Amino acid sequence: FQFFQFCLFDRQSVGRCHNFVYSSSSSSSWCSWNLDLEMSEAAKPEPMEVDYLREETLAEGKVIKRVIREGDASEGKPVDGADVTVHYVGTLLDGTVFDSSRKRNEPFKFKIGEGSVIKGWDVGVATMVPGEVVQLEIAPDFAYGERGSPPTIPANATLRFEVELISWSNTEDVTDDGRVTKSVRVKGEGWDTPREDAKCRFKVAAFHQRGAKAKAADRTAFDLGGYGDDVVERTIGSDTDMMFGLECALKSMKAGEQATVFVPPEYAFGKDGNAALGVPTGNDVYVVLDVTLVSFDQAKMTSAMTTQEKV
Protein backbone atom coordinates (compact mmCIF):
# COMPACT_ATOMS: atom_id res chain seq x y z
CA PHE A 1 0.00 0.00 0.00
CA GLN A 2 1.09 3.50 -0.66
CA PHE A 3 -0.28 6.50 1.20
CA PHE A 4 -0.43 10.00 -0.18
CA GLN A 5 -1.84 13.18 1.23
CA PHE A 6 -2.99 16.15 -0.74
CA CYS A 7 -5.22 19.18 -0.25
CA LEU A 8 -8.19 20.45 -2.19
CA PHE A 9 -9.26 24.06 -1.84
CA ASP A 10 -12.59 25.65 -2.56
CA ARG A 11 -13.14 29.30 -3.50
CA GLN A 12 -14.14 30.13 0.06
CA SER A 13 -10.54 29.52 1.12
CA VAL A 14 -11.38 26.50 3.27
CA GLY A 15 -8.83 23.72 2.79
CA ARG A 16 -9.92 20.08 2.81
CA CYS A 17 -7.22 17.46 3.21
CA HIS A 18 -7.67 13.83 2.22
CA ASN A 19 -5.67 10.64 2.46
CA PHE A 20 -5.36 8.60 -0.73
CA VAL A 21 -4.72 4.87 -0.55
CA TYR A 22 -3.51 2.96 -3.62
CA SER A 23 -2.75 -0.73 -4.12
CA SER A 24 -1.49 -2.44 -7.27
CA SER A 25 -0.91 -6.10 -8.11
CA SER A 26 -0.67 -8.27 -11.22
CA SER A 27 -4.32 -9.20 -11.02
CA SER A 28 -6.03 -6.02 -9.88
CA SER A 29 -5.62 -2.46 -8.84
CA TRP A 30 -7.89 -0.34 -6.71
CA CYS A 31 -7.97 2.92 -4.85
CA SER A 32 -10.04 4.34 -2.01
CA TRP A 33 -10.61 7.72 -0.41
CA ASN A 34 -10.14 8.13 3.29
CA LEU A 35 -11.65 11.42 4.53
CA ASP A 36 -10.28 10.87 8.03
CA LEU A 37 -7.45 13.35 8.60
CA GLU A 38 -5.62 11.18 11.11
CA MET A 39 -2.15 10.46 9.78
CA SER A 40 0.58 8.26 11.12
CA GLU A 41 3.23 10.05 13.12
CA ALA A 42 5.73 9.35 10.34
CA ALA A 43 3.51 11.11 7.79
CA LYS A 44 3.07 14.28 9.79
CA PRO A 45 5.28 17.17 8.63
CA GLU A 46 7.80 18.74 10.92
CA PRO A 47 7.05 22.24 12.26
CA MET A 48 8.82 24.85 10.15
CA GLU A 49 11.01 27.37 11.91
CA VAL A 50 10.93 30.83 10.39
CA ASP A 51 13.78 33.33 10.24
CA TYR A 52 12.41 36.72 11.17
CA LEU A 53 13.69 40.25 11.66
CA ARG A 54 11.63 41.18 14.71
CA GLU A 55 8.65 40.08 16.75
CA GLU A 56 5.65 42.06 17.98
CA THR A 57 2.95 41.12 20.47
CA LEU A 58 -0.55 42.25 19.46
CA ALA A 59 -3.95 42.11 21.17
CA GLU A 60 -2.46 41.30 24.59
CA GLY A 61 -0.65 38.26 23.24
CA LYS A 62 -3.50 36.78 21.23
CA VAL A 63 -1.55 37.49 18.03
CA ILE A 64 2.22 37.21 17.64
CA LYS A 65 3.60 38.96 14.56
CA ARG A 66 7.02 37.94 13.25
CA VAL A 67 8.32 40.15 10.45
CA ILE A 68 10.07 38.12 7.77
CA ARG A 69 10.46 40.92 5.21
CA GLU A 70 9.97 44.65 5.64
CA GLY A 71 7.53 46.47 3.34
CA ASP A 72 7.12 49.99 2.01
CA ALA A 73 6.17 52.13 5.01
CA SER A 74 5.47 55.13 2.75
CA GLU A 75 2.34 53.36 1.50
CA GLY A 76 0.86 53.33 5.02
CA LYS A 77 -1.18 50.71 6.87
CA PRO A 78 -4.73 49.70 5.92
CA VAL A 79 -7.54 51.27 7.91
CA ASP A 80 -10.92 49.75 8.76
CA GLY A 81 -13.00 49.31 5.64
CA ALA A 82 -10.02 49.22 3.29
CA ASP A 83 -9.83 46.58 0.55
CA VAL A 84 -6.69 44.49 1.09
CA THR A 85 -5.05 41.92 -1.17
CA VAL A 86 -2.83 39.25 0.39
CA HIS A 87 -1.13 35.95 -0.26
CA TYR A 88 -1.03 33.50 2.63
CA VAL A 89 -0.16 29.98 3.74
CA GLY A 90 -1.97 28.63 6.81
CA THR A 91 -0.51 25.87 8.97
CA LEU A 92 -1.12 24.09 12.23
CA LEU A 93 1.67 24.19 14.82
CA ASP A 94 2.98 20.84 13.59
CA GLY A 95 3.52 22.32 10.13
CA THR A 96 0.46 20.81 8.45
CA VAL A 97 -0.69 23.14 5.66
CA PHE A 98 -4.48 23.47 5.73
CA ASP A 99 -4.88 26.30 3.22
CA SER A 100 -2.78 28.29 0.78
CA SER A 101 -3.60 31.06 -1.66
CA ARG A 102 -0.15 30.57 -3.17
CA LYS A 103 -0.96 26.97 -4.06
CA ARG A 104 -4.07 28.23 -5.87
CA ASN A 105 -2.02 31.08 -7.38
CA GLU A 106 -4.93 33.35 -6.48
CA PRO A 107 -4.42 36.27 -4.05
CA PHE A 108 -7.13 36.64 -1.41
CA LYS A 109 -9.08 39.91 -1.06
CA PHE A 110 -11.19 41.12 1.85
CA LYS A 111 -12.31 44.26 3.67
CA ILE A 112 -10.35 44.78 6.84
CA GLY A 113 -11.99 45.48 10.19
CA GLU A 114 -15.45 44.27 9.17
CA GLY A 115 -15.37 40.74 10.60
CA SER A 116 -15.21 38.98 7.24
CA VAL A 117 -12.11 37.01 8.36
CA ILE A 118 -10.95 35.61 11.68
CA LYS A 119 -10.20 38.24 14.31
CA GLY A 120 -6.47 37.52 14.31
CA TRP A 121 -6.30 38.53 10.66
CA ASP A 122 -8.12 41.81 11.22
CA VAL A 123 -5.66 42.57 14.03
CA GLY A 124 -2.48 41.42 12.29
CA VAL A 125 -2.99 42.62 8.72
CA ALA A 126 -3.96 46.08 10.01
CA THR A 127 -0.36 46.49 11.24
CA MET A 128 1.24 45.66 7.88
CA VAL A 129 2.41 47.79 4.95
CA PRO A 130 2.52 46.74 1.26
CA GLY A 131 5.33 44.33 0.46
CA GLU A 132 5.67 43.19 4.08
CA VAL A 133 5.79 39.45 4.78
CA VAL A 134 5.02 38.21 8.28
CA GLN A 135 4.13 35.13 10.25
CA LEU A 136 1.01 35.60 12.36
CA GLU A 137 0.64 33.14 15.23
CA ILE A 138 -2.97 33.35 16.34
CA ALA A 139 -4.48 32.03 19.56
CA PRO A 140 -7.62 29.85 19.28
CA ASP A 141 -10.08 32.51 20.49
CA PHE A 142 -8.82 34.86 17.75
CA ALA A 143 -9.05 32.03 15.19
CA TYR A 144 -11.67 29.25 15.12
CA GLY A 145 -12.03 28.69 18.87
CA GLU A 146 -13.58 25.63 20.49
CA ARG A 147 -15.42 24.57 17.34
CA GLY A 148 -12.44 24.61 15.00
CA SER A 149 -13.15 24.35 11.29
CA PRO A 150 -13.64 20.64 10.50
CA PRO A 151 -12.19 18.69 8.95
CA THR A 152 -8.96 20.65 8.57
CA ILE A 153 -8.67 22.70 11.76
CA PRO A 154 -9.19 20.96 15.11
CA ALA A 155 -10.81 22.53 18.15
CA ASN A 156 -8.76 25.02 20.18
CA ALA A 157 -6.01 25.16 17.56
CA THR A 158 -3.33 27.82 17.55
CA LEU A 159 -2.68 28.70 13.91
CA ARG A 160 0.22 30.15 11.97
CA PHE A 161 -0.18 32.13 8.78
CA GLU A 162 2.58 33.41 6.55
CA VAL A 163 1.00 36.54 5.07
CA GLU A 164 2.21 38.94 2.39
CA LEU A 165 0.31 42.21 2.06
CA ILE A 166 0.33 42.84 -1.68
CA SER A 167 -1.70 46.05 -1.66
CA TRP A 168 -4.51 47.92 0.01
CA SER A 169 -6.88 50.61 -1.13
CA ASN A 170 -9.36 52.87 0.58
CA THR A 171 -10.06 55.17 -2.33
CA GLU A 172 -12.96 57.61 -2.15
CA ASP A 173 -14.25 59.97 -4.83
CA VAL A 174 -14.35 63.50 -3.40
CA THR A 175 -15.56 65.40 -6.48
CA ASP A 176 -18.39 63.12 -7.66
CA ASP A 177 -16.71 62.79 -11.05
CA GLY A 178 -13.99 60.36 -10.05
CA ARG A 179 -11.19 62.81 -10.79
CA VAL A 180 -10.04 63.81 -7.29
CA THR A 181 -9.76 60.82 -4.98
CA LYS A 182 -8.40 60.24 -1.50
CA SER A 183 -7.07 57.25 0.38
CA VAL A 184 -7.71 57.49 4.13
CA ARG A 185 -4.68 56.55 6.24
CA VAL A 186 -6.15 57.43 9.64
CA LYS A 187 -9.89 57.75 10.22
CA GLY A 188 -11.25 60.94 11.70
CA GLU A 189 -13.75 61.41 14.51
CA GLY A 190 -17.49 61.94 14.40
CA TRP A 191 -19.53 62.43 11.25
CA ASP A 192 -19.33 66.18 10.51
CA THR A 193 -17.22 67.56 7.65
CA PRO A 194 -16.34 71.17 6.70
CA ARG A 195 -18.81 73.17 4.63
CA GLU A 196 -18.53 76.53 2.89
CA ASP A 197 -17.02 79.21 5.17
CA ALA A 198 -15.66 76.62 7.62
CA LYS A 199 -12.31 77.56 9.19
CA CYS A 200 -10.02 74.57 8.74
CA ARG A 201 -6.75 73.96 10.55
CA PHE A 202 -4.65 71.43 8.68
CA LYS A 203 -1.18 70.28 7.63
CA VAL A 204 -0.28 69.40 4.06
CA ALA A 205 2.75 67.99 2.24
CA ALA A 206 2.78 68.19 -1.57
CA PHE A 207 4.30 65.98 -4.27
CA HIS A 208 4.00 65.68 -8.03
CA GLN A 209 4.20 62.55 -10.15
CA ARG A 210 3.88 61.44 -13.75
CA GLY A 211 0.64 59.50 -14.27
CA ALA A 212 -2.11 58.46 -11.90
CA LYS A 213 -0.53 55.12 -10.93
CA ALA A 214 3.03 56.14 -10.05
CA LYS A 215 4.58 54.59 -6.98
CA ALA A 216 5.33 56.64 -3.88
CA ALA A 217 9.07 56.29 -4.56
CA ASP A 218 8.62 58.08 -7.90
CA ARG A 219 7.02 61.20 -6.42
CA THR A 220 8.86 64.51 -6.10
CA ALA A 221 8.20 66.77 -3.12
CA PHE A 222 7.60 70.48 -3.67
CA ASP A 223 6.67 73.51 -1.57
CA LEU A 224 2.98 74.22 -2.10
CA GLY A 225 3.60 77.85 -1.20
CA GLY A 226 2.26 79.57 1.91
CA TYR A 227 1.61 76.32 3.78
CA GLY A 228 4.95 75.15 5.14
CA ASP A 229 5.32 72.29 7.61
CA ASP A 230 3.19 73.76 10.38
CA VAL A 231 -0.56 73.77 10.91
CA VAL A 232 -2.21 76.46 8.79
CA GLU A 233 -5.72 77.91 8.88
CA ARG A 234 -7.75 78.52 5.76
CA THR A 235 -11.44 79.27 5.17
CA ILE A 236 -13.33 77.06 2.72
CA GLY A 237 -14.60 79.11 -0.23
CA SER A 238 -12.80 82.30 0.77
CA ASP A 239 -9.11 81.64 0.11
CA THR A 240 -8.67 82.11 -3.63
CA ASP A 241 -5.09 80.79 -3.54
CA MET A 242 -6.21 77.35 -2.30
CA MET A 243 -5.92 74.59 -4.88
CA PHE A 244 -9.38 73.42 -5.90
CA GLY A 245 -8.47 69.77 -5.38
CA LEU A 246 -7.25 70.51 -1.84
CA GLU A 247 -10.46 72.39 -1.01
CA CYS A 248 -12.56 69.47 -2.28
CA ALA A 249 -10.56 67.06 -0.16
CA LEU A 250 -10.90 69.15 3.02
CA LYS A 251 -14.68 69.30 2.56
CA SER A 252 -14.77 65.47 2.58
CA MET A 253 -12.67 64.98 5.73
CA LYS A 254 -13.47 64.57 9.40
CA ALA A 255 -11.52 66.14 12.26
CA GLY A 256 -8.34 64.15 12.91
CA GLU A 257 -8.45 62.40 9.55
CA GLN A 258 -5.23 61.81 7.62
CA ALA A 259 -5.50 61.11 3.89
CA THR A 260 -3.49 60.97 0.69
CA VAL A 261 -5.25 62.98 -2.01
CA PHE A 262 -4.68 62.48 -5.74
CA VAL A 263 -5.36 65.58 -7.84
CA PRO A 264 -5.30 65.54 -11.67
CA PRO A 265 -3.86 68.51 -13.59
CA GLU A 266 -7.23 70.14 -14.28
CA TYR A 267 -7.91 70.39 -10.52
CA ALA A 268 -4.34 71.45 -9.69
CA PHE A 269 -2.14 73.62 -11.94
CA GLY A 270 -3.36 72.55 -15.38
CA LYS A 271 -1.19 71.29 -18.22
CA ASP A 272 1.15 74.30 -17.84
CA GLY A 273 2.21 73.26 -14.34
CA ASN A 274 3.71 75.84 -12.00
CA ALA A 275 7.33 76.74 -12.66
CA ALA A 276 7.58 78.88 -9.51
CA LEU A 277 6.70 75.88 -7.34
CA GLY A 278 8.68 73.39 -9.41
CA VAL A 279 5.70 71.55 -10.88
CA PRO A 280 6.47 70.50 -14.48
CA THR A 281 4.21 70.88 -17.49
CA GLY A 282 2.12 68.06 -18.93
CA ASN A 283 -1.34 66.59 -19.04
CA ASP A 284 -0.13 63.63 -16.98
CA VAL A 285 1.34 65.54 -14.02
CA TYR A 286 -0.67 64.69 -10.91
CA VAL A 287 -0.36 66.43 -7.56
CA VAL A 288 -0.39 64.18 -4.50
CA LEU A 289 -1.22 65.76 -1.14
CA ASP A 290 -0.71 64.21 2.29
CA VAL A 291 -3.33 66.07 4.33
CA THR A 292 -4.11 66.02 8.05
CA LEU A 293 -7.26 67.90 9.06
CA VAL A 294 -6.46 68.85 12.65
CA SER A 295 -9.77 70.61 13.42
CA PHE A 296 -12.37 72.96 11.98
CA ASP A 297 -15.03 75.43 13.11
CA GLN A 298 -18.27 76.21 11.36
CA ALA A 299 -21.77 77.42 12.07
CA LYS A 300 -24.28 74.78 13.03
CA MET A 301 -26.79 73.67 10.45
CA THR A 302 -30.32 74.83 11.24
CA SER A 303 -31.46 71.24 11.67
CA ALA A 304 -28.86 70.77 14.42
CA MET A 305 -29.74 73.93 16.35
CA THR A 306 -31.74 74.01 19.54
CA THR A 307 -34.82 76.23 19.71
CA GLN A 308 -32.82 78.75 21.76
CA GLU A 309 -30.05 78.86 19.15
CA LYS A 310 -32.54 79.51 16.35
CA VAL A 311 -33.98 82.58 18.13
Side-chain angles (χ1 to χ4, degrees), residues 5-9 15-18 96-99 103 152:
Q5 186 190 40
F6 66 96
C7 291
L8 298 176
F9 302 89
R16 289 181 171 81
C17 294
H18 306 276
T96 301
V97 176
F98 59 80
D99 196 7
K103 187 176 181 68
T152 56

Side-chain angles (χ1 to χ4, degrees), residues 10-29:
D10 62 23
R11 295 186 66 84
Q12 298 300 318
S13 301
V14 178
R16 289 181 171 81
C17 294
H18 306 276
N19 293 327
F20 178 76
V21 186
Y22 177 77
S23 175
S24 179
S25 67
S26 59
S27 59
S28 65
S29 63

Side-chain angles (χ1 to χ4, degrees), residues 13-124:
S13 301
V14 178
R16 289 181 171 81
C17 294
H18 306 276
N19 293 327
F20 178 76
V21 186
Y22 177 77
S23 175
S24 179
S25 67
S26 59
S27 59
S28 65
S29 63
W30 57 272
C31 64
S32 68
W33 298 94
N34 176 12
L35 299 183
D36 189 346
L37 289 177
E38 292 183 1
M39 296 182 292
S40 67
E41 289 300 318
K44 289 184 178 180
E46 292 293 326
M48 293 183 63
E49 296 297 326
V50 60
D51 292 327
Y52 56 91
L53 303 175
R54 54 190 171 82
E55 183 177 283
E56 300 175 22
T57 300
L58 308 174
E60 298 182 340
K62 299 295 185 180
V63 179
I64 305 298
K65 173 186 174 182
R66 301 181 178 100
V67 178
I68 300 170
R69 185 183 73 197
E70 300 284 5
D72 183 359
S74 68
E75 295 291 332
K77 300 174 183 179
V79 297
D80 285 353
D83 295 303
V84 300
T85 301
V86 302
H87 258 314
Y88 69 92
V89 178
T91 66
L92 304 179
L93 290 184
D94 67 2
T96 301
V97 176
F98 59 80
D99 196 7
S100 172
S101 67
R102 294 193 183 278
K103 187 176 181 68
R104 296 191 298 277
N105 195 29
E106 182 179 347
F108 179 59
K109 300 180 180 181
F110 69 99
K111 280 189 177 293
I112 199 165
E114 296 192 354
S116 60
V117 293
I118 59 175
K119 192 171 183 179
W121 267 46
D122 272 339
V123 169

Side-chain angles (χ1 to χ4, degrees), residues 130-143:
E132 187 174 355
V133 179
V134 306
Q135 182 192 78
L136 298 177
E137 183 169 314
I138 303 174
D141 50 338
F142 271 47

Side-chain angles (χ1 to χ4, degrees), residues 195-267:
R195 300 184 296 276
E196 288 293 314
D197 298 323
K199 289 186 177 181
C200 296
R201 287 167 288 279
F202 61 94
K203 297 179 67 175
V204 59
F207 308 84
H208 62 76
Q209 65 181 38
R210 288 283 180 184
K213 301 295 184 180
K215 294 183 178 180
D218 297 325
R219 297 170 187 162
T220 301
F222 71 95
D223 185 351
L224 193 54
Y227 292 89
D229 297 326
D230 297 324
V231 175
V232 296
E233 182 175 287
R234 295 288 188 274
T235 301
I236 297 292
S238 297
D239 285 304
T240 57
D241 65 335
M242 187 185 298
M243 183 191 300
F244 182 66
L246 173 57
E247 184 174 287
C248 292
L250 288 170
K251 291 168 70 175
S252 75
M253 299 176 71
K254 301 177 180 67
E257 183 177 319
Q258 298 177 27
T260 300
V261 182
F262 300 87
V263 186
E266 62 268 31
Y267 287 152

